[in-house]
Amino acid sequence: QVQLVESGGGLAQAGGSLRLSCAASGTVFSLNVCRWYRQAPGKQREWVGTITSSGSTTYPATVKGRFTISRDNAKNTVYLEMNSLKPEDTAVYYCNTDKGLRSYWGQGTQITVSS
């Protein structure tokens, strides 16, 4: 059973930074593609970025240049570094990975950015 646990959420001012962590268990983590998503109140879940097992990353235009995903396979952890935060970044952030045919999600962590 794969478990993902996000941490690092909280309050930030516009222009500030936060770093989220996603700790994984129950999988050979180094082989996993990991993704971050977010969901703001009343909106659909939105993809924030992906990191492959080799460390390649992709991002949507909304966060590219501001957000950076990295991973530490020795710690079974993926990180989301968020800089130049904007109020519209306010959301619950989730990490996601797959194992076999199943997709796994963390419980989410709230980020609130004040203007």
Side-chain angles (χ1 to χ4, degrees):
Q1 181 75 10
V2 177
Q3 289 189 323
L4 302 173
V5 179
E6 299 98 337
S7 61
L11 300 175
Q13 291 190 332
S17 299
L18 284 173
R19 188 176 83 156
L20 305 183
S21 300
C22 173
S25 62
T27 181
V28 182
F29 184 68
S30 60
L31 301 179
N32 287 54
V33 174
C34 295
R35 307 168 194 87
W36 285 95
Y37 288 81
R38 66 186 181 187
Q39 188 165 21
K43 296 188 176 181
Q44 289 191 332
R45 193 165 292 189
E46 174 190 18
W47 171 63
V48 173
T50 298
I51 186 165
T52 68
S53 57
S54 63
S56 297
T57 54
T58 52
Y59 308 93
T62 50
V63 307
K64 193 172 184 178
R66 301 189 298 122
F67 290 11
T68 302
I69 300 175
S70 60
R71 66 190 302 158
D72 185 337
N73 290 334
K75 295 182 178 180
N76 282 3
T77 300
V78 172
Y79 303 98
L80 176 64
E81 182 79 32
M82 303 181 291
N83 299 312
S84 302
L85 284 164
K86 305 175 181 180
E88 50 264 43
D89 295 320
T90 295
V92 178
Y93 283 71
Y94 301 89
C95 62
N96 163 263
T97 193
D98 303 318
K99 183 177 181 181
L101 298 178
R102 288 193 61 180
S103 186
Y104 296 88
W105 296 84
Q107 82 286 355
T109 186
Q110 175 72 47
I111 302 298
T112 302
V113 183
S114 62
S115 58

